[in-house]
Amino acid sequence: MPIPEVDKIWMDGELVDWKDAKIHLLTHSLHYGSGVFEGIRAYETPRGAAVFRLTDHMKRLFRSAAIYRKPIPFTLEELVEATKVVIRANGLKSCYIRPIAFRGYGEMGLHPMAAPVNVAIAVWPWGAYLGEEGIKHGVRAKVSSFRRNESNSIPTAAKATGQYLNSILAKMEVVEAGYDEAILLNLHGHVADGAGENVFVVRNGVLFTPPTSAGALEGITRDSVMRIAEDMDIPCRERDLVRTDLYIADEAFFTGTAAEVVPIREIDDRVIGDPGPITRRIQEKFFEIVRGGDKAYEHWLEYVD
Ligand code: PY5
């Protein structure tokens, strides 16, 4: 799908026109995938645009950078403010936000310390990543034959551009086979996560999700859902899951910034069914919170104005 263009992109401290947001061909990260990035969303609320857990996302960007020994030449506060600036500059009420910190032009070797670190924040309107239909009625998932990258090869705790080659292989495989989204197992055969989402299953009223040690990204939506479940007195456990735990689940869903909360209706052609009651309750609460409808979670919203 083509990216809907807006006016401005924030690059290294300045707002530049969308069409001028360019980089050199010999940018280190283009060749070696050495960038780190975030995916964040701003939602329309009665008090104007609010970014969901902006500071938490930016903190993860700094953690990803630290893993790759990449000094970000801005403070956390500066990047939080820059995000609001670029949303305001484009007059957006809701949008997807893509901060990226990447090794730039100046070094083509694999010891990239000499390359400068560039930082950019792009925003654009982005609808439901797995489709409106998916949010309402659920998606069809398939376990990919590609395994999640092992964290001692490419750390799964970081959100680095290069590691998405793994997700791209899985996603292409299952979409070309007629499914909506891929689920990846780790090298031990335990469920890690989706191509770009965390995975939850419900069994006998209890919510289960793989631990980060299984290769799941420490998702901000995952954390939000775990806290929502706790507040609803729905027990939630981080536990290793094998693929048959997916097949026999009473309910299953994906969480992620781009995807949001998406029921899974089928896994490997085993029918899970229509979105179940726990999935529905959590999904409804999530959308209520991000749109400013629940005062108890107000601290997760960072207003643009
Ligand atoms: N797992 C993986 C592999 C992810 O890429 C993502 C986010 C998540 C889990 C969920 O994390 P969070 O809840 O913090 O978003 N994926 C990105 C996103 O913006 C990129 C998707 C194309 O949702």
Side-chain angles (χ1 to χ4, degrees):
M1 225 181 56
I3 306 170
E5 293 183 13
V6 297
D7 286 347
K8 301 283 182 191
I9 290 180
W10 186 95
M11 275 182 99
D12 298 320
E14 279 168 46
L15 288 172
V16 300
D17 286 341
W18 180 278
K19 63 173 182 357
D20 297 329
K22 291 179 182 165
I23 53 166
H24 196 274
L25 180 69
L26 297 184
T27 292
H28 192 272
S29 294
L30 177 65
H31 296 256
Y32 307 122
S34 50
V36 294
F37 71 103
E38 271 304 314
I40 318 176
R41 271 188 193 273
Y43 290 90
E44 188 172 355
T45 79
R47 280 181 53 196
V51 185
F52 186 65
R53 302 188 66 173
L54 171 58
T55 301
D56 289 332
H57 276 282
M58 285 302 184
K59 282 184 182 162
R60 190 173 62 187
L61 183 75
F62 278 85
R63 291 201 298 275
S64 298
I67 288 171
Y68 285 97
R69 307 177 74 155
K70 188 191 320 227
I72 294 186
F74 294 92
T75 64
L76 176 72
E77 293 72 26
E78 283 168 339
L79 294 188
V80 164
E81 185 50 34
T83 303
K84 298 176 184 175
V85 166
V86 68
I87 296 171
R88 258 182 245 133
N90 289 295
L92 292 166
K93 290 198 178 74
S94 64
C95 59
Y96 184 79
I97 302 155
R98 172 52 59 82
I100 183 166
F102 57 99
R103 298 271 182 193
Y105 173 84
E107 171 63 59
M108 287 306 279
L110 296 182
H111 186 250
M113 301 307 203
V117 177
N118 296 107
V119 185
I121 306 173
V123 296
W124 65 87
W126 208 10
Y129 177 65
L130 296 176
E132 281 299 332
E133 274 294 300
I135 288 193
K136 281 200 197 91
H137 303 296
V139 294
R140 296 176 61 240
K142 181 166 171 54
V143 174
S144 171
S145 68
F146 289 99
R147 296 294 175 100
R148 175 58 82 210
N149 46 277
E150 207 269 328
S151 72
N152 287 300
S153 301
I154 297 180
T156 46
K159 214 170 151 53
T161 58
Q163 83 197 60
Y164 280 79
L165 286 171
N166 181 223
S167 286
I168 289 168
L169 285 171
K171 177 88 182 182
M172 288 192 303
E173 178 187 32
V174 309
V175 171
E176 294 299 323
Y179 300 84
D180 301 309
E181 187 53 299
I183 293 174
L184 289 93
L185 308 179
N186 64 24
L187 295 183
H188 307 290
H190 294 140
V191 178
D193 52 10
E197 304 84 9
N198 289 111
V199 178
F200 283 83
V201 297
V202 178
R203 183 104 190 275
N204 298 328
V206 181
L207 210 47
F208 295 96
T209 194
T212 54
S213 55
L217 181 71
E218 197 179 333
I220 309 285
T221 322
R222 172 184 182 271
D223 178 70
S224 306
V225 161
M226 289 166 78
R227 295 214 227 161
I228 291 168
E230 194 184 325
D231 292 347
M232 287 178 163
D233 290 323
I234 300 166
C236 182
R237 306 210 174 110
E238 288 180 73
R239 207 193 70 184
D240 275 329
L241 301 171
V242 292
R243 68 197 295 167
T244 47
D245 289 321
L246 305 175
Y247 297 171
I248 61 174
D250 301 327
E251 304 179 31
F253 58 90
F254 286 121
T255 65
T257 299
E260 302 170 300
V261 178
V262 180
I264 303 175
R265 55 177 308 110
E266 246 179 60
I267 300 170
D268 289 354
D269 305 305
R270 274 80 169 175
V271 176
I272 309 290
D274 288 333
I278 291 180
T279 304
R280 276 283 174 244
R281 276 179 73 200
I282 287 173
Q283 192 191 43
E284 275 164 26
K285 182 51 84 182
F286 174 80
F287 281 117
E288 185 186 36
I289 292 167
V290 297
R291 289 173 186 142
D294 189 336
K295 285 269 165 294
Y297 298 89
E298 191 68 23
H299 57 286
W300 280 347
L301 304 182
E302 294 175 56
Y303 290 95
V304 171
D305 289 306

